[in-house]
Amino acid sequence: MADLRVLVEQANAAYYVEDAPTIDDATYDALKAELVALEAEHPHLAEPDSPTDRIGAAPSEAFGKVTHSVRMMSLENAFAASDVTDFVARIRGFLSLPDDAPLVMTAEPKIDGLSLAIRYESGRLVQAATRGDGTTGEDVTANARHIRDLPHRLAGPDVPELLEVRGEVYMTHADFAALNDGAEGRVFANPRNAAGGSLRQLDPAVTARRPLHFFAYGWGALSRPLSDTQSGSVERLAALGLKTNPLMRRCDTVADLLEVWSEIEQRRATLGYDIDGVVYKVDDLALQGRLGFRSTTPRWALAHKFPAQTAWTRLDRIEIQVGRTGALSPVARLTPVTVGGVVVSNATLHNEDYIAGRAADGTEIRDGIDIREGDWVRVYRAGDVIPKIDAVSLERRPADARPYAFPQTCPACGSDALREPGDAVRRCTGGMACPAQAIEKLRHFVSRAAFDIEGLGTRQVEAFYRAGWIAEPADIFDLAARREDLLATEGYGEKSVSALLAAIEARRVIPLDRLIFALGIRHVGEQAARLLARRFHDWPAFVATVDAARVEGSEAWGDLTSIDGVGTVMARSLTTAFAQPSERGAIDRLVAQLTEIQRIEAPQAPDSPIAGLTLVFTGTLEQMSRAEAKVRAEALGAKVSGSVSARTDLVVAGPGAGSKARKAADLGVRVIDEDEWLKIARG
Ligand code: IVH
């Protein structure tokens, strides 16, 4: 059986990965049939990763969650060649690399699929997880075993103990077309959705019938480095039996990068799979390490996107959607048109100025041409973004087309819709009395990054709101009293109602950052909520500060706005929301339903001599750029400030340090030189 497994695996790799079959189909089928028969006869000898269970493995329950040991990042986007020049200049600046010092970069296609992390232990595929939110993804191991380009066992003599491969799952154009024309009848919008839908199938047998492919371009956790360069590591991945993209190149200059970009763009239509740009990466992994990451993207990589694709179509109607914070957002309903392979029937119109042909600062957009119902418009889409309209045809404008009159009242509740001075957006003043706002708030509340209640999705929330069972988040926790009503609802049975009510009960315990995000306060996103939770640790401290910060310039106001990443706009939005009686009422009623708001601790300060200290850099640093010094100091747990005060703990003074070094001396603050700083920085 072991021999048969190896033979079948080798044949699979030759056929699917190398595109160079080593045996004919009949021989392959016979080997596989023999293995299947033996496994049926001796089930205790069947391996969990046998090539025979690529089809028809047992259906799993809903996907489990996987916490990524190394966060899965996204990429900074660029559209213009000048962005690429800036990117390389920024890297050189950060690393203090002179213009004539070599800096090798790689360039490779940006595959338009979905990212996957696959864990190999002692060379065996043991787990595969989707990106999810970057921190936690879905366990799709059973399905990933059906991806043809993924070996179940790594090849070669030097297989690492642990290797987490990262790359992109995609579907080819040909397979996509066949799937859409096939018996399953399900029509996906594009190959990327088809790949996503196929990978996240509850029944692995369905995944098995969907031809998925994979390109490896990176890694997460590793027992030992693959190489000391990006390109060398990717070569190692290929040697281990993983499929890597053949178009990857090493480049020495920005001109080389742009040339590869043009070459890849020219080949785009004939590749047979979707790509949406070219990714550039610093080749030297030691330099990647020094450059590090911003909150969600590495400093050492850039996605240089291809230009947007466009198409002309008719704008049938303009509709207004009312958002969670009352914003009236106009949406264009279009006669469906294919733009770069995707059917588009809606486009965003931003706000009333945009429709009128004006930008926020009063300057003209589209040469001042307004958008009217019945117009022919040019639609474009770039990457993932919502399609937009960038041109209007005056020649084809119908004679009876009238300028669009933006509503002055909320279409959902009839309340006045007002525009504050300086705000581009008109907002409904109905608050929670407006059904559209209430539903959007509830949808936000149950969303994945907020309360994430199993079985309570946006559709259910909307239905329960319309039935009059829930009007605000706090009411969700009273749904237990609606058991009979729920049982009478279509699609619910004894089991699902019990499961739903249990899931709701479980959420009476919630981490502080999720709670803050769930409140749906304007400008307070997921990242901001995390920063606030880390700073204030518990709910009482957070509320006390927000309440006291109502007086701008107060100490509490200072506490709030001194958080890196919390500006005055966000602080004002928070204090306003908490001071507004109806909104505060809803918040207090929600909190009364909770049994525990879990504390959030600030991330452990690293063990370093400067952890917790406030540093100021002044003068010229000769060995390390200011940018790198700041990032390094922060990684060591210090805070970097621009000016010296009584709160400064340490000043790093390079040559030419002037007033700041003098002020430090006056205040008795410790001053060190660059050499001493480098000793700290390099541990
Ligand atoms: S590198 C830390 N390389 O693009 C850097 N990503 O927009 C991780 N993608 O989440 C990404 N092709 O899913 C990298 N050749 C490539 C890629 C690629 C496609 C995806 C990946 C990532 C997304 C960011």
Side-chain angles (χ1 to χ4, degrees):
M1 285 171 76
D3 287 347
L4 278 171
R5 275 196 293 267
V6 171
L7 288 173
V8 174
E9 282 287 8
Q10 281 172 349
N12 276 343
Y15 183 87
Y16 293 114
V17 184
E18 284 129 42
D19 289 322
T22 46
I23 53 175
D24 63 58
D25 288 0
T27 314
Y28 174 82
D29 288 343
L31 289 173
K32 198 156 168 183
E34 194 181 348
L35 181 56
V36 169
L38 285 167
E39 282 178 352
E41 229 172 285
H42 312 285
H44 60 291
L45 296 177
E47 293 251 14
D49 65 352
S50 165
T52 57
D53 76 21
R54 283 191 188 197
I55 290 176
S60 73
E61 321 128 27
F63 304 109
K65 298 213 157 134
V66 173
T67 304
H68 298 299
S69 52
V70 179
R71 246 178 80 93
M72 290 182 83
M73 295 287 180
S74 39
L75 292 169
E76 182 192 351
N77 286 330
F79 293 89
S82 61
D83 296 335
V84 182
T85 313
D86 292 349
F87 165 70
V88 173
R90 242 185 298 134
I91 288 177
R92 284 187 176 277
F94 190 100
L95 298 170
S96 297
L97 273 186
D99 287 345
D100 53 0
L103 176 65
V104 180
M105 310 276 303
T106 59
E108 68 198 71
K110 182 169 189 306
I111 316 298
D112 197 7
L114 57 149
S115 41
L116 191 70
I118 308 102
R119 203 175 160 90
Y120 286 93
E121 284 173 11
S122 308
R124 284 159 167 267
L125 190 164
V126 295
Q127 188 176 65
T130 61
R131 187 177 111 108
D133 60 4
T135 307
T136 326
E138 285 168 325
D139 184 337
V140 291
T141 312
N143 293 343
R145 290 189 198 279
H146 297 294
I147 298 174
R148 313 298 207 278
D149 300 336
L150 275 182
H152 290 192
R153 247 173 226 262
L154 295 177
D158 209 13
V159 171
E161 196 54 37
L162 168 66
L163 167 61
E164 190 194 311
V165 180
R166 292 189 174 172
E168 204 83 351
V169 176
Y170 66 96
M171 191 178 278
T172 64
H173 291 159
D175 287 334
F176 172 67
L179 175 64
N180 263 357
D181 295 344
E184 296 193 42
R186 172 104 185 253
V187 178
F188 288 104
N190 53 42
R192 178 174 188 229
N193 288 356
S198 305
L199 188 66
R200 311 232 322 291
Q201 271 292 330
L202 286 180
D203 181 359
V206 176
T207 312
R209 289 197 296 271
R210 304 269 177 84
L212 292 178
H213 292 268
F214 180 82
F215 278 126
Y217 53 66
W219 55 91
L222 284 176
S223 49
R224 67 187 139 91
L226 293 165
S227 154
D228 51 13
T229 59
Q230 180 75 31
S231 50
S233 302
V234 171
E235 273 166 32
R236 270 289 284 150
L237 292 177
L240 289 165
L242 291 149
K243 181 130 178 194
T244 58
N245 194 287
L247 301 179
M248 181 170 179
R249 299 280 178 270
R250 291 172 83 239
C251 297
D252 294 315
T253 62
V254 171
D256 289 353
L257 291 175
L258 296 176
E259 198 180 309
V260 175
W261 185 84
S262 300
E263 277 166 18
I264 293 179
E265 195 198 6
Q266 274 159 31
R267 299 181 61 167
R268 185 179 186 186
T270 55
L271 286 176
Y273 51 87
D274 275 347
I275 63 173
D276 57 350
V278 174
V279 184
Y280 308 134
K281 299 174 186 169
V282 170
D283 196 35
D284 184 330
L285 298 185
L287 297 183
Q288 282 191 11
R290 279 174 60 192
L291 287 155
F293 296 88
R294 304 176 204 90
S295 67
T296 60
T297 56
R299 284 193 193 83
W300 43 263
L302 185 75
H304 185 183
K305 298 296 207 60
F306 295 135
Q309 294 170 294
T310 64
W312 285 89
T313 189
R314 205 181 94 102
L315 188 159
D316 298 326
R317 267 169 303 117
I318 295 177
E319 281 180 15
I320 303 289
Q321 289 178 345
V322 183
R324 164 164 66 83
T325 56
L328 267 48
S329 308
V331 179
R333 303 290 178 207
L334 308 166
T335 299
V337 64
T338 309
V339 188
V342 176
V343 178
V344 171
S345 45
N346 304 309
T348 176
L349 291 170
H350 301 291
N351 54 52
E352 55 193 284
D353 288 348
Y354 184 84
I355 296 176
R358 283 190 308 267
D361 57 7
T363 57
E364 286 187 347
I365 47 175
R366 297 181 305 269
D367 298 327
I369 299 172
D370 67 331
I371 296 175
R372 303 182 182 185
E373 291 182 330
D375 267 339
W376 280 81
V377 294
R378 190 169 68 194
V379 182
Y380 78 97
R381 51 178 287 274
D384 266 348
V385 300
I386 314 162
K388 293 183 183 169
I389 288 173
D390 70 340
V392 176
S393 166
L394 285 182
E395 292 89 73
R396 299 183 77 176
R397 173 167 278 176
D400 60 350
R402 294 280 156 265
Y404 180 69
F406 202 90
Q408 309 293 304
T409 55
C410 171
C413 71
S415 303
D416 285 340
L418 301 182
R419 229 180 123 170
E420 302 271 325
D423 193 351
V425 174
R426 190 170 287 279
R427 287 173 204 279
C428 160
T429 53
M432 285 299 268
C434 169
Q437 281 193 57
I439 289 175
E440 288 309 314
K441 274 224 171 219
L442 286 163
R443 286 160 68 113
H444 171 80
F445 184 81
V446 299
S447 66
R448 186 157 76 166
F451 269 61
D452 189 24
I453 298 170
E454 188 99 18
L456 194 60
T458 54
R459 236 179 320 127
Q460 288 85 348
V461 155
E462 186 166 348
F464 296 173
Y465 176 87
R466 297 210 186 277
W469 302 343
I470 55 175
E472 60 178 44
D475 300 338
I476 290 172
F477 293 94
D478 289 330
L479 274 174
R482 294 268 177 197
R483 202 185 174 91
E484 296 309 315
D485 289 329
L486 286 167
L487 282 169
T489 308
E490 205 189 305
Y492 278 95
E494 189 63 52
K495 226 175 121 185
S496 52
V497 169
S498 297
L500 172 63
L501 295 177
I504 293 172
E505 281 311 302
R507 284 292 187 269
R508 287 189 196 267
V509 176
I510 195 87
L512 177 62
D513 52 350
R514 278 182 180 262
L515 172 61
I516 296 175
F517 174 64
L519 299 178
I521 294 167
R522 189 140 67 101
H523 304 301
V524 184
E526 216 184 324
Q527 175 83 7
R530 204 171 302 137
L531 293 171
L532 290 162
R534 282 182 185 166
R535 168 69 182 78
F536 296 108
H537 311 303
D538 60 33
W539 178 254
F542 170 67
V543 177
T545 308
V546 173
D547 283 343
R550 215 172 293 171
V551 185
E552 291 192 15
S554 62
E555 197 178 321
W557 174 259
D559 274 356
L560 211 53
T561 50
S562 69
I563 303 170
D564 207 6
V566 177
T568 53
V569 172
M570 194 194 300
R572 219 166 272 153
S573 175
L574 269 169
T575 54
T576 313
F578 274 68
Q580 218 258 320
S582 65
E583 188 140 5
R584 180 57 172 268
I587 295 172
D588 290 343
R589 285 189 292 277
L590 167 66
V591 169
Q593 295 278 20
L594 305 174
T595 49
E596 188 194 346
I597 300 169
Q598 293 167 309
R599 271 180 75 83
I600 300 294
E601 300 302 338
Q604 264 271 274
D607 188 14
S608 92
I610 56 166
L613 303 189
T614 300
L615 261 66
V616 173
F617 290 97
T618 179
T620 353
L621 298 184
E622 285 164 337
Q623 318 247 8
M624 193 185 266
S625 70
R626 278 283 183 91
E628 184 175 10
K630 179 166 191 281
V631 167
R632 189 69 198 126
E634 283 167 353
L636 292 170
K639 212 183 135 198
V640 178
S641 163
S643 58
V644 176
S645 74
R647 291 204 221 165
T648 310
D649 299 300
L650 185 65
V651 171
V652 181
S659 62
K660 287 182 193 173
R662 276 197 300 280
K663 188 162 179 197
D666 289 347
L667 290 166
V669 176
R670 197 175 143 216
V671 181
I672 61 173
D673 64 10
E674 184 172 10
D675 284 342
E676 223 172 315
W677 156 248
L678 287 172
K679 273 184 221 145
I680 299 173
R682 299 190 173 142

